[in-house]
Amino acid sequence: MPLRVVVAISVLDGAAFLGEAIESVLAQDGVDLRLLVVDNGSTDGSQEIARSHPGVTLLQNVPEPGYEPNFFHSMNRVLATMACDVLAPFACDDRMLPGNLRRKVDALVRYDAAIAHGPAELIDDAGSHLGVLSAPVDGGVVHPPAFFRRLVPVNTLITPSVVLRADAIRDLGGFDPRSILCGDWLAWLRLSLRHPVAAVPEPLVQYRQHVETGSVQGIRSGRFAAHDPAALLEACADPLLPEAWRGEVRRWVAAKLLHTAVLLGEAGVLRRADGQPAYAVAGRALLACPDQGQVVGAFRELARHAGLVSPATPFRVVSPYRGAPGEAASLIDAVRALDGAGLARRSIVAVDPARLDEALVELATVLDEGVDVDVDVVPGDVEQLLDSPGLVLADEGDPVLALADARGLPAVEHRVASPYARERDPDRFEIVTPASWRNAA
């Protein structure tokens, strides 16, 4: 019996290219194909375009307060409600070339793989050729867990080029939509620890790059700087990650942050008035791996490029302490990392005089847990300490970050919120449960 293949196209106001995407899928041959378009609240006629094509099933996710359905909610809805053996997650602005599904489904079967992928032709808005994006191909198949190493620190799989065993991704609870930017990379990382990954060497999809592409927007907004390291840490918490690799996690995180910092620099996001600045992301890489000279050099160069006063090494480190849950441990961990690498000349923490005693207890509790660093705790406003060059560390969202940046001092977050800190909501297709997909139609 042939494998049942479902192509799921997720769309939100994608009318400009949706028709091309649909037609390229319907032109595929050699597979038992069903095409679904999952709309996430379009107002530009995308739904009408989907309905105008015979053989297309339209599903609709309805946005509501606190729920903005994204690409991965769409994929999970299909996994939870539609019977299929193979899922091809696809975007509304990309195109399949002839033979894409047939060749990759054959590779899944031949190698008993969970993922089959290949290069992608990069095209622009008008469909003109820009180049080829390619992941490493090695003999057609890579067995677990080896492909994981090819996915760090930068994702090398192009999502529209992927087809995958539906049951393999269902066994992980589906895609994780808590990050619209990283649900695919996190899934590939975890699947690669469990299953073979197969490859087809020819580019059989066209991946469209334009200003509205999610990856482009994610870079410019700085969300990648928060979500990518969080996704990597989530994957590295997988119990199947080989123990011998766990010592490399900090290095992977630093490399991921540096990669994002370079992209932000190329996009011109240099100061906090522009968004999440490149130098600050490089500064977070510095906190992850302060003993790597390349990381220190990149941070200082990006700070200089941003027109900031480049702090001398070792740094004078200045931080506020507001008493937020977990702040003490995060701050002291950052100071300890710098101190251990010989990069902290003096560390000063400013505390509101009204809560000085409370802060001393909280900080001392962390320091008493074996953290051997010297920290000067001073009463007063941290603003008073921004009168000489140094490195400013603060919790994400602290107003001193923008204040220091405006005064020409590099300011770096020592803690950034993770989208994975909350539980996944099964009622909003954030997780696929066996009870849902076993009743799929």
Side-chain angles (χ1 to χ4, degrees):
M1 173 182 257
L3 296 178
R4 298 165 297 177
V5 179
V6 166
V7 176
I9 297 178
S10 177
V11 62
L12 174 61
D13 292 336
F17 304 112
L18 178 59
E20 292 181 51
I22 289 173
E23 289 158 15
S24 76
V25 174
L26 293 176
Q28 297 293 303
D29 63 0
V31 294
D32 179 7
L33 173 65
R34 185 176 184 183
L35 173 57
L36 290 93
V37 172
V38 188
D39 185 80
N40 289 322
S42 297
T43 59
D44 67 343
S46 293
Q47 298 168 18
E48 289 70 23
I49 292 171
R51 291 191 184 100
S52 71
H53 287 80
V56 174
T57 300
L58 176 66
L59 302 177
Q60 293 175 269
N61 290 327
V62 180
E64 58 186 63
Y67 174 52
E68 295 182 9
N70 63 40
F71 183 94
F72 303 111
H73 293 103
S74 298
M75 297 305 112
N76 283 353
R77 179 170 181 177
V78 171
L79 288 167
T81 61
M82 300 292 167
C84 65
D85 302 302
V86 174
L87 174 70
F90 209 62
C92 63
D93 49 2
D94 298 328
R95 300 190 298 215
M96 291 189 184
L97 297 175
N100 177 58
L101 293 178
R102 172 172 42 81
R103 294 280 304 281
K104 289 172 183 171
V105 171
D106 286 349
L108 285 181
V109 174
R110 184 181 315 119
Y111 297 111
D112 192 23
I115 296 174
H117 69 99
E121 180 187 353
L122 188 64
I123 60 174
D124 64 12
D125 294 50
S128 299
H129 177 82
L130 297 175
V132 174
L133 299 174
S134 181
V137 176
D138 182 10
V141 65
V142 179
H143 294 280
F147 201 81
F148 186 99
R149 298 296 296 263
R150 301 187 180 189
L151 292 168
V152 294
V154 178
N155 184 17
T156 57
L157 289 193
I158 304 101
T159 295
S161 81
V162 169
V163 300
L164 64 154
R165 295 271 187 179
D167 283 354
I169 186 66
R170 283 170 173 150
D171 286 344
L172 294 181
F175 292 93
D176 192 330
R178 288 176 293 182
S179 170
I180 190 175
L181 302 172
C182 303
D184 49 355
W185 186 35
L186 178 55
W188 313 151
L189 286 165
R190 298 194 64 208
L191 286 169
S192 71
L193 293 173
R194 292 163 169 79
H195 303 282
V197 176
V200 175
E202 297 83 11
L204 295 173
V205 297
Q206 293 178 321
Y207 176 69
R208 196 184 305 267
Q209 188 170 51
H210 54 92
V211 294
E212 298 301 323
T213 302
S215 58
V216 173
Q217 295 299 315
I219 291 167
R220 293 198 64 88
S221 69
R223 286 183 299 166
F224 267 132
H227 289 209
D228 271 5
L232 181 53
L233 289 170
E234 187 79 0
C236 290
D238 193 303
L240 290 188
L241 185 78
E243 191 63 34
W245 295 357
R246 295 191 183 277
E248 299 188 52
V249 173
R250 276 184 173 264
R251 182 176 61 82
W252 291 340
V253 169
K256 175 74 256 185
L257 286 164
L258 274 187
H259 178 260
T260 304
V262 170
L263 294 177
L264 285 166
E266 292 173 348
V269 185
L270 304 179
R271 299 289 287 269
R272 290 191 179 271
D274 306 317
Q276 180 65 22
Y279 80 82
V281 179
R284 289 176 52 211
L286 174 68
L287 297 180
C289 273
D291 55 345
Q292 290 193 358
Q294 177 188 5
V295 178
V296 179
F299 165 67
R300 296 192 64 175
E301 176 59 25
L302 285 168
R304 185 200 62 77
H305 186 54
L308 300 171
V309 179
S310 182
T313 305
F315 307 132
R316 172 181 179 265
V317 182
V318 174
S319 309
Y321 180 67
R322 315 293 188 186
E327 183 186 4
S330 175
L331 174 58
I332 297 302
D333 186 56
V335 171
R336 179 182 60 177
L338 295 174
D339 186 76
L343 295 179
R345 172 170 54 87
R346 185 186 179 197
S347 298
I348 309 169
V349 176
V351 179
D352 181 344
R355 59 181 314 273
L356 179 60
D357 291 343
E358 175 188 348
L360 287 171
V361 170
E362 292 168 352
L363 292 165
T365 299
V366 176
L367 291 168
D368 286 344
E369 293 174 354
V371 182
D372 186 18
V373 294
D374 291 325
V375 176
D376 294 334
V377 179
V378 300
D381 194 326
V382 68
E383 183 176 349
Q384 301 170 5
L385 302 175
L386 305 182
D387 55 356
S388 61
L391 174 64
V392 178
L393 296 181
D395 217 350
E396 179 184 31
D398 195 299
V400 78
L401 293 165
L403 178 62
D405 181 283
R407 292 189 178 184
L409 299 179
V412 175
E413 292 88 346
H414 63 76
R415 182 173 64 160
V416 174
S418 168
Y420 304 103
R422 63 173 181 82
E423 295 295 322
R424 294 160 74 176
D425 185 347
D427 295 329
R428 289 179 166 173
F429 297 111
E430 289 192 342
I431 188 168
V432 178
T433 62
S436 64
W437 66 260
R438 285 175 182 159
N439 296 317

